[in-house]
Amino acid sequence: MSETSTDRGRVDPYRNYRFRIVWDGKVVAGVSKVSGLKRSTDVVQLRELGDPTLRLAPGQQRYEAITLERGISHDSDFENWANLVWTWSPAAAGAPDFRKDIRIELYDEAGQLALAYDVHRCWPSEFTAVGELDGTGNAFAIQSLVLQNEGWERDASIAGPKPAETASDPDP
């Protein structure tokens, strides 16, 4: 990995377990797993009349759904958002918009914000209130929320964490 002015000497990758999910201006409690941010572009095949060479061009972009998982608690943020979709009606006057922008923040080992991605116009397409239960296991009961989205982008205003000597240690 090459060293740049924004990574301030960092040459190793960030760990995948220090993150926060933020929506409606607050951190969502207990999220323990987030699927990856993935986008793909369709390939359009073109051929001019009489030309045997097939040309390839970019087509529509697609953004994969994002899955959030967390242990079940009394916090009802996942369920409340999912309920907005299932009770939404285009004919209802003054119906709340069920779309939200969310933010995925990644932190370094010192607890400093390192990267953030803003995900646009998300809405829940699937909600699992209670995941698989196992009377012989010792794992936590998990709920999940699958979010469709209309794209994401990295927050370029985040220059990266400060050098380790001056870092404070807030716990994300």
Side-chain angles (χ1 to χ4, degrees):
M1 177 189 271
S2 66
E3 191 174 313
T4 67
S5 62
T6 59
D7 65 16
R8 305 201 181 171
R10 184 179 186 94
V11 294
D12 56 322
Y14 295 110
R15 307 285 180 155
N16 70 349
Y17 59 85
R18 296 189 62 97
F19 64 90
R20 287 182 179 162
I21 304 299
V22 179
W23 72 54
D24 294 338
K26 67 177 189 164
V27 175
V28 181
V31 176
S32 59
K33 189 173 183 180
V34 179
S35 66
L37 295 179
K38 182 179 176 182
R39 67 178 170 212
S40 59
T41 304
D42 292 343
V43 177
V44 177
Q45 297 180 351
L46 304 169
R47 193 173 66 129
E48 293 182 23
L49 186 61
D51 185 356
T53 305
L54 190 63
R55 310 268 186 225
L56 302 178
Q60 291 184 328
Q61 281 193 339
R62 300 185 192 290
Y63 293 90
E64 298 289 325
I66 300 167
T67 302
L68 309 178
E69 292 183 4
R70 70 178 186 176
I72 295 174
S73 71
H74 284 292
D75 185 318
S76 60
D77 283 347
F78 278 23
E79 185 172 4
N80 292 343
W81 190 7
N83 286 343
L84 286 177
V85 174
W86 281 280
T87 59
W88 179 81
S89 167
D97 187 5
F98 51 80
R99 291 176 179 84
K100 298 180 190 225
D101 291 341
I102 70 167
R103 184 172 176 90
I104 301 172
E105 300 176 341
L106 286 78
Y107 291 81
D108 69 2
E109 291 82 358
Q112 297 180 86
L113 182 61
L115 298 169
Y117 289 86
D118 295 314
V119 188
H120 307 292
R121 295 181 50 82
C122 300
W123 59 274
S125 63
E126 185 177 319
F127 170 58
T128 303
V130 179
E132 183 176 312
L133 301 174
D134 181 357
T136 63
N138 62 357
F140 292 105
I142 299 294
Q143 64 180 195
S144 64
L145 194 63
V146 177
L147 300 176
Q148 301 301 318
N149 68 89
E150 294 182 8
W152 47 264
E153 60 193 0
R154 183 174 172 173
D155 183 345
S157 70
I158 298 173
K162 298 179 187 103
E165 301 83 48
T166 60
S168 60
D169 192 7
D171 187 27

